[in-house]
Amino acid sequence: MTISMEQLHLVVMELQDRADIRDCVHRYARGADRLDRELMLSAYHADAIDEHGKFVGTAGDFVDWAMKQHTDAHLSHQHYILNHTCELDGDMAHTETYFMFVSMNRQGKPLTMNGGRYVDRFEKREGVWAIAYRACLRDWAMMDERPDMDDLSSFTSTRSLLSAQMRTFMNNGLGAKRDRSDPSYHRPLHADLERVRAYTEMKRRA
């Protein structure tokens, strides 16, 4: 079978796009574990939205929030990047990346582990792939008792500190499903801007 130069070019470009996207996912994880704000932010477009359990908002605000959470709660931590699928659609891509998170804690149980998926909409702007919207979905967690699969707040180790309002807010967000209603099937994957506004208002009043 012969392949034309044009076909070869398209194959190489697709491989490059996939490599750039996967590199971006890994860059995020390394930035988080090294508490490197600039590296972590480089995984996002400037106007990106991240929905991350107890947090919903802009990438810049999320990175500041996450770094404070990790600094205050953990002696060290690692984000492991596992299964990764990528559906390319021109200058947009939908990806699903499994992760496992392990932390050495400052208080309470010495070690915490949980796992889930980053469900991302990537966009290629001016030749650069980065996250435009991310939804972090929790699939499992090692707890003292079995988490309630219908209560998204039960997957966080700080659930006992959450207000009733925050628990309700979390449970109105995206959660993992074991069928095609799972957010990883949403096309296109978009942030709920009303939810972003609601989170901002809730934190303002707190």
Side-chain angles (χ1 to χ4, degrees):
M1 177 181 176
T2 60
I3 184 170
S4 69
M5 290 302 295
E6 181 180 358
Q7 290 172 317
L8 179 61
H9 175 73
L10 292 175
V11 169
V12 171
M13 288 301 297
E14 178 176 337
L15 292 173
Q16 184 65 64
D17 286 340
R18 293 183 181 278
D20 288 348
I21 288 169
R22 192 172 180 89
D23 283 349
C24 189
V25 174
H26 282 272
R27 195 163 66 243
Y28 163 87
R30 182 167 187 265
D33 290 339
R34 302 281 63 80
L35 299 178
D36 184 333
R37 186 179 190 276
E38 182 178 356
L39 185 61
M40 201 173 171
L41 265 179
S42 72
Y44 296 90
H45 286 300
D47 60 351
I49 297 295
D50 195 307
E51 181 157 355
H52 222 94
K54 293 178 289 184
F55 177 93
V56 182
T58 65
D61 287 344
F62 166 71
V63 169
D64 291 339
W65 175 86
M67 292 183 67
K68 185 177 188 309
Q69 292 280 310
H70 289 317
T71 300
D72 291 349
H74 306 133
L75 295 168
S76 65
H77 48 83
Q78 290 185 334
H79 292 73
Y80 296 92
I81 300 302
L82 305 169
N83 303 20
H84 174 79
T85 58
C86 176
E87 179 184 312
L88 289 170
D89 182 12
D91 288 341
M92 181 185 297
H94 288 84
T95 70
E96 178 186 56
T97 307
Y98 285 50
F99 72 84
M100 184 168 67
F101 174 74
V102 183
S103 65
M104 292 292 293
N105 304 320
R106 294 186 182 278
Q107 297 180 341
K109 295 175 62 175
L111 186 72
T112 297
M113 297 176 61
N114 61 62
R117 290 166 292 140
Y118 300 129
V119 177
D120 297 325
R121 187 183 84 250
F122 274 82
E123 292 181 4
K124 188 178 186 179
R125 303 178 188 174
E126 298 181 357
V128 177
W129 284 103
I131 298 165
Y133 172 63
R134 164 168 285 183
C136 178
L137 306 179
R138 296 289 183 89
D139 288 305
W140 62 272
M142 291 185 65
M143 301 290 190
D144 293 331
E145 56 187 31
R146 187 178 294 108
D148 179 351
M149 300 302 289
D150 294 322
D151 179 4
L152 300 181
S153 69
S154 70
F155 284 85
T156 175
S157 59
T158 59
R159 62 194 181 283
S160 63
L161 304 177
L162 298 176
S163 66
Q165 185 181 25
M166 176 56 79
R167 285 175 181 265
T168 299
F169 180 81
M170 292 177 70
N171 283 314
N172 286 333
L174 296 176
K177 305 294 182 183
R178 298 181 71 192
D179 55 31
R180 294 181 69 90
S181 67
D182 186 78
S184 62
Y185 289 90
H186 294 181
R187 298 291 183 275
L189 182 69
H190 281 304
D192 181 347
L193 297 182
E194 183 55 42
R195 185 166 169 77
V196 176
R197 286 190 286 269
Y199 176 83
T200 301
E201 180 63 18
M202 180 174 63
K203 298 305 291 184
R204 187 186 67 82
R205 293 182 177 182

